[in-house]
C-alpha cells in the first residue's frame, strides 16, 4: 500500500499554527513512508472563502517548506462529481429525499428537548419496507439525507486516541446535500478521501465527532476506511485554547515576528510528539523518526520562550548571507536603505549569537546603515568632559593604527593608560558615539566593522 495523506484546510482565514502542525505531521508521515502528500482546499463556504485567504494558506505552506505532491484541489471545482455520487446513492437507496420544512424540524427539536431527549431527525421521510411515505409537498425543494444504519456501532482504532466506538443509535440521518443542491462538509470529505485514495487521515481532534458519520458513508460507498489519527488541541502560554485575541496563531505572524521557518517547524514537531530528549533536529531527522505511535493524546501547550530559544539556535547556525538578506528585507520595509552603510554580512556576525529573532537582528544592524545621531540625553549622560578627552585621544591613535581588531584593541588600551581610565569609562561613550546606544558587542570588533572613515567621522560628530 502506498501511503497517501492530505491536508485539507478551509480557506476562511489564514493558515493558523494548529493547522500548520497538522500539515507538518501529515507531510512527515507521507515522507517517512515514501508516500504522497496531497493539498486540498475545502472552499465550499463561499461566503467566507476568498482568493486572498486561499493565497494566505498557499503562502504559509510555501514559507514553511511543506511541499505537496498533488494539488491544490478545490472542492468547488468538484461539484459535478459530488452530484454524481449523490444520484448514485439515491438510486441505490443509501440516501433519500427529505421534505421536512425547517419549521417542522424546529418543532421536532423543541419537543425532544422538552422530553429531555437528544435532538435528532426522526426519520419521517426515511424509506422503509411496508412504510408508506406521504406525497412530496408541491413547491418544496428537498434535502438529501444519508440512510445511516439503525443498529450496531461504528468503531475504529484511532492511531492517537486508541479504540473509539459510537453506537449508530447516536447518529441520525444527516444531510448530505442541502435544498439548493450544494453538498455538505461530511459528504464532500468522504468523496474526496475516496477518490484521492487517502490511506491516513491526520487531523485535529475537533473532527472526532465527524468520523463515525464519515466511516458509515465510506462503507455505504464500498470504499476502504483510512487510518484515522486525531491530534489533540494546542493550548496557549496561558493554558487556554489558542485564540486570535490572545495569541499569535497565524503562520504569517511568526514570519513577521522574525522567526525562521525551520525553527517553527522544529517547535511544532515537538508539540505533542517526541523522540527521546531530542530538542533541536532537522526536518530530515524528523522524517526519519516520525511515527504516529509517539503522538500524545493529551493537549500540547505552546511555550513562546521555548520557541524563542529554539529560533536563537537556528539563527546561530544560519548562513551569514541568509541572515543578511533577511535583515536587509526588514530594514527596507522600514524605509532604510540596507546598502547605505557597512555591508551587512560584515556586521551580522557581531550579533548572530546575541539575538533570538530576525527583527532583533535588523534592530541591531540599523545603526550600521544610517547616520547615527545620539540623543541629547544620551550625550549628556555619557559624553562627559573626561570621556570626550579620552575619545579625542583614541581618535588620534585610531587614525594611525592598522585597521584590524588587534590593533584597535591595543589603541584602546593605550588610551585607557594615558587617561587613567577603566574600559567602561571609554567603551560606553565610544558606543554612544558610534551606534547611539551604550550597549553593543565587543567594541573593538564594532570599530573594525564600521571601517576607519565611518568610525572616525562618527567620533568627530560627538567631539
Amino acid at each position: 500500500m502506498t501511503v497517501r495523506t492530505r491536508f485539507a484546510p478551509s480557506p476562511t482565514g489564514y493558515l493558523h499554527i494548529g493547522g500548520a502542525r497538522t500539515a507538518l505531521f501529515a507531510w512527515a508521515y507521507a515522507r517517512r513512508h515514501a508516500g504522497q502528500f496531497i493539498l486540498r482546499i475545502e472552499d465550499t463556504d463561499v461566503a467566507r472563502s476568498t482568493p486572498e485567504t486561499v493565497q494566505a494558506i498557499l503562502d504559509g505552506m510555501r514559507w514553511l517548506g511543506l511541499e505537496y505532491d498533488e494539488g491544490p484541489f478545490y472542492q468547488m471545482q468538484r461539484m459535478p462529481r459530488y452530484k454524481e455520487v449523490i444520484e448514485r446513492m439515491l438510486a441505490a437507496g443509501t440516501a433519500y429525499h427529505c421534505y421536512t420544512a425547517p419549521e417542522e424540524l424546529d418543532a421536532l427539536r423543541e419537543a425532544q428537548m422538552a422530553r429531555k431527549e437528544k435532538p435528532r431527525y426522526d426519520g419521517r421521510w426515511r424509506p422503509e419496507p411496508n412504510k408508506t411515505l406521504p406525497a412530496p409537498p408541491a413547491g418544496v425543494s428537498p434535502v438529501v439525507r444519508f440512510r445511516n444504519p439503525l443498529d450496531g456501532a461504528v468503531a475504529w482504532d484511532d492511531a492517537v486516541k486508541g479504540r473509539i466506538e459510537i453506537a449508530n443509535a447516536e447518529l441520525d440521518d444527516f444531510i448530505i446535500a442541502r435544498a439548493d443542491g450544494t453538498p455538505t462538509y461530511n459528504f464532500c470529505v468522504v468523496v474526496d478521501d475516496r477518490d484521492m485514495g487517502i490511506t491516513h487521515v491526520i487531523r485535529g481532534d475537533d473532527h472526532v465527532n465527524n468520523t463515525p458519520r464519515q466511516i458509515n458513508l465510506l462503507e455505504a460507498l464500498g470504499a476502504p476506511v483510512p487510518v484515522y489519527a486525531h491530534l489533540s488541541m494546542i493550548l496557549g502560554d496561558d493554558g487556554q485554547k489558542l485564540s486570535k485575541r490572545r495569541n499569535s496563531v497565524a503562520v504569517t505572524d511568526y514570519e513577521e515576528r522574525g522567526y525562521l521557518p525551520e525553527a517553527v517547524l522544529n517547535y511544532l514537531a515537538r508539540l505533542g510528539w517526541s523522540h527521546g530528549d531530542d530538542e533541536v533536529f532537522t526536518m530530515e531527522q524528523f522524517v526519519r523518526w516520525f511515527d504516529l505511535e509517539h503522538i500524545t493524546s493529551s493537549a500540547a501547550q505552546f511555550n513562546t520562550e521555548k520557541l524563542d530559544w529554539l529560533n536563537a539556535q537556528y539563527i546561530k547556525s544560519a548562513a551569514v548571507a541568509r541572515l543578511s538578506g533577511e535583515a536587509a528585507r526588514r530594514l527596507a520595509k522600514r524605509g532604510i536603505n540596507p546598502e547605505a552603510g557597512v555591508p551587512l554580512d560584515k556586521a551580522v556576525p557581531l550579533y548572530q549569537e546575541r539575538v533570538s529573532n530576525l527583527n532583533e537582528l535588523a534592530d541591531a544592524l540599523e545603526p550600521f546603515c544610517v547616520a547615527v545621531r545620539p540623543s541629547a540625553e544620551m550625550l549628556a549622560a555619557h559624553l562627559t568632559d573626561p570621556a570626550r578627552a579620552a575619545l579625542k585621544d583614541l581618535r588620534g591613535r585610531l587614525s594611525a593604527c592598522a585597521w584590524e581588531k588587534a590593533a584597535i584593541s591595543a589603541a584602546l588600551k593605550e588610551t585607557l593608560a594615558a587617561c587613567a581610565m577603566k574600559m567602561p569609562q571609554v567603551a560606553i561613550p565610544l558606543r554612544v558615539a558610534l551606534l547611539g546606544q551604550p550597549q553593543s558587542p565587543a567594541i573593538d570588533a564594532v570599530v573594525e566593522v564600521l571601517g576607519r572613515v565611518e568610525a572616525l567621522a562618527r567620533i568627530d560628530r560627538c567631539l
Side-chain angles (χ1 to χ4, degrees):
M1 177 187 67
T2 299
V3 167
R4 289 173 63 83
T5 65
R6 47 80 159 176
F7 177 52
S10 175
T12 54
Y14 47 75
L15 174 61
H16 61 81
I17 207 70
R21 183 189 63 165
T22 298
L24 171 62
F25 283 13
W27 170 86
Y29 194 77
R31 293 289 178 267
R32 170 72 176 81
H33 295 279
Q36 284 92 45
F37 174 57
I38 292 92
L39 177 62
R40 188 169 76 218
I41 305 296
E42 298 185 341
D43 57 348
T44 55
D45 187 342
V46 179
R48 298 171 62 203
S49 298
T50 66
E52 291 75 21
T53 54
V54 170
Q55 191 59 50
I57 290 172
L58 298 178
D59 289 345
M61 295 285 286
R62 187 179 302 110
W63 182 69
L64 290 171
L66 297 179
E67 298 180 352
Y68 37 92
D69 303 296
E70 298 177 18
F73 298 106
Y74 297 89
Q75 287 186 329
M76 287 301 294
Q77 297 174 4
R78 288 175 49 78
M79 286 298 155
R81 171 59 177 160
Y82 303 139
K83 292 178 181 179
E84 173 194 350
V85 175
I86 287 172
E87 290 302 321
R88 290 184 180 180
M89 292 180 68
L90 287 168
T94 54
Y96 60 93
H97 287 118
C98 172
Y99 294 86
T100 310
E103 54 270 21
E104 290 183 85
L105 289 174
D106 290 341
L108 172 63
R109 291 191 187 96
E110 287 179 10
Q112 290 170 331
M113 293 175 68
R115 298 192 299 268
K116 300 190 182 319
E117 296 174 359
K118 179 180 178 180
R120 53 187 291 112
Y121 175 65
D122 61 1
R124 61 184 62 181
W125 285 93
R126 177 184 173 114
E128 295 290 0
N130 303 318
K131 178 180 178 180
T132 302
L133 297 176
V140 176
S141 298
V143 299
V144 178
R145 290 185 180 271
F146 172 59
R147 199 166 184 268
N148 195 76
L150 296 176
D151 303 318
V154 187
W156 74 96
D157 293 310
D158 195 279
V160 174
K161 295 182 172 298
R163 186 74 171 177
I164 299 177
E165 187 167 328
I166 307 292
N168 276 316
E170 294 293 313
L171 309 173
D172 58 3
D173 290 357
F174 56 94
I175 295 172
I176 60 175
R178 302 176 184 90
D180 63 2
T182 58
T184 58
Y185 166 78
N186 275 315
F187 177 78
C188 295
V189 167
V190 165
V191 175
D192 290 343
D193 285 347
R194 174 200 182 190
D195 289 356
M196 297 174 188
I198 302 302
T199 63
H200 294 74
V201 174
I202 301 170
R203 60 187 181 185
D205 64 2
D206 53 328
H207 288 285
V208 167
N209 289 337
N210 292 324
T211 304
R213 295 175 173 83
Q214 293 174 10
I215 289 176
N216 278 343
L217 268 173
L218 285 164
E219 291 179 341
L221 294 173
V225 176
V227 174
Y228 289 95
H230 289 95
L231 310 177
S232 61
M233 70 173 65
I234 300 174
L235 305 178
D237 291 275
D238 56 3
Q240 302 297 311
K241 185 177 179 180
L242 281 179
S243 164
K244 185 178 182 181
R245 289 174 300 152
R246 299 190 309 272
N247 316 100
S248 288
V249 293
V251 167
T252 51
D253 287 347
Y254 291 89
E255 180 181 13
E256 292 173 2
R257 288 168 57 195
Y259 292 96
L260 292 172
E262 55 267 43
V264 174
L265 287 172
N266 191 156
Y267 185 72
L268 290 178
R270 291 285 285 111
L271 278 180
W273 175 88
S274 63
H275 183 266
D277 295 327
D278 293 293
E279 294 286 352
V280 183
F281 44 79
T282 66
M283 283 300 98
E284 289 77 12
Q285 290 174 308
F286 177 54
V287 167
R288 282 201 310 272
W289 297 337
F290 183 70
D291 55 22
L292 301 178
E293 290 75 17
H294 288 87
I295 298 175
T296 179
S297 60
S298 57
Q301 185 160 352
F302 204 92
N303 185 321
T304 301
E305 288 185 3
K306 186 68 172 290
L307 174 59
D308 289 343
W309 174 84
L310 195 58
N311 200 50
Q313 307 312 304
Y314 277 94
I315 288 176
K316 288 176 184 177
S317 61
V320 169
R322 179 187 179 189
L323 297 178
S324 299
E326 290 284 358
R329 184 164 61 85
R330 285 165 167 76
L331 289 169
K333 287 179 69 174
R334 303 176 187 180
I336 296 170
N337 181 2
E339 298 179 0
V342 173
L344 294 186
D345 59 355
K346 295 184 180 298
V348 163
L350 296 177
Y351 296 93
Q352 192 167 357
E353 298 199 4
R354 299 169 65 95
V355 299
S356 62
N357 65 66
L358 298 172
N359 290 336
E360 289 179 1
L361 179 62
D363 292 342
L365 297 180
E366 185 173 329
F368 291 85
C369 304
V370 298
V372 171
R373 305 290 182 188
S375 67
E377 294 79 10
M378 190 74 70
L379 291 174
H382 300 289
L383 270 294
T384 60
D385 289 341
R388 290 176 190 274
L391 288 187
K392 186 174 183 180
D393 178 88
L394 177 62
R395 192 236 185 265
R397 298 178 193 278
L398 291 177
S399 65
C401 77
W403 207 258
E404 58 186 20
K405 185 177 177 181
I408 293 168
S409 179
L412 268 167
K413 291 176 182 176
E414 290 169 3
T415 291
L416 295 179
C419 298
M421 301 174 78
K422 296 184 181 297
M423 180 63 80
Q425 294 174 294
V426 176
I428 291 178
L430 181 57
R431 288 185 172 99
V432 170
L434 298 179
L435 301 177
Q437 54 197 25
Q439 295 89 27
S440 79
I443 189 61
D444 50 2
V446 170
V447 173
E448 181 185 33
V449 167
L450 276 172
R452 189 192 306 272
V453 173
E454 183 64 20
L456 296 182
R458 293 188 181 197
I459 293 173
D460 289 342
R461 284 199 292 267
C462 293
L463 292 179

